[in-house]
């Protein structure tokens, strides 16, 4: 299952404006109807009946975080790769 972020927004005419995002897991493809349904159900689980009128603006896949071990930077001591020069066409 992949983890997604869903951004939601309450209607403009509501008394208490709410915007934000939440995480949810889904095995459906990003942007599909099933994925949107999973996001909607998770939003209702988190926020209850207050979230019935809210709409989900966009759903995006959560990016993986790469953390180095012990907070150390990784050093690369390999020699730099030389870029091949473009061949010149000479006309005689």
């Amino acid at each position: 299952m992949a983890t997604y972020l869903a951004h939601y927004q309450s209607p403009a005419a509501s008394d208490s404006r709410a915007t934000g995002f939440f995480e949810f897991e889904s095995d459906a493809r990003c942007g599909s109807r099933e994925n949107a349904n999973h996001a909607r159900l998770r939003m209702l689980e988190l926020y209850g009946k207050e979230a019935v009128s809210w709409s989900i603006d966009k759903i995006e896949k959560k990016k993986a975080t790469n953390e180095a071990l012990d907070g150390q930077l990784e050093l690369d001591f390999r020699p730099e790769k030389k870029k091949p020069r473009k061949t010149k066409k000479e006309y005689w």
Side-chain angles (χ1 to χ4, degrees), residues 5-14 16-22 24 35-44 47-59:
L5 289 175
H7 298 264
Y8 64 87
Q9 186 174 15
S10 66
S14 69
S16 58
R17 296 278 296 165
T19 58
F21 62 93
F22 60 91
F24 71 98
N35 190 298
N37 191 24
H38 290 160
R40 183 78 179 158
L41 291 175
R42 181 67 180 150
M43 182 175 68
L44 292 174
Y47 303 108
K49 66 178 183 179
E50 187 176 286
V52 171
S53 63
W54 296 355
S55 62
I56 296 175
D57 294 334
K58 71 176 179 180
I59 298 172

Side-chain angles (χ1 to χ4, degrees), residues 24-78:
F24 71 98
E25 290 185 351
S26 176
D27 55 353
R29 189 173 42 111
C30 187
S32 67
R33 182 178 285 175
E34 187 178 359
N35 190 298
N37 191 24
H38 290 160
R40 183 78 179 158
L41 291 175
R42 181 67 180 150
M43 182 175 68
L44 292 174
E45 288 174 5
L46 291 173
Y47 303 108
K49 66 178 183 179
E50 187 176 286
V52 171
S53 63
W54 296 355
S55 62
I56 296 175
D57 294 334
K58 71 176 179 180
I59 298 172
E60 58 191 20
K61 193 167 187 173
K62 185 177 180 183
K63 297 177 184 172
T65 57
N66 293 334
E67 294 183 17
L69 298 175
D70 300 329
Q72 295 291 321
L73 294 175
E74 296 178 8
L75 298 176
D76 188 10
F77 292 105
R78 294 178 289 183

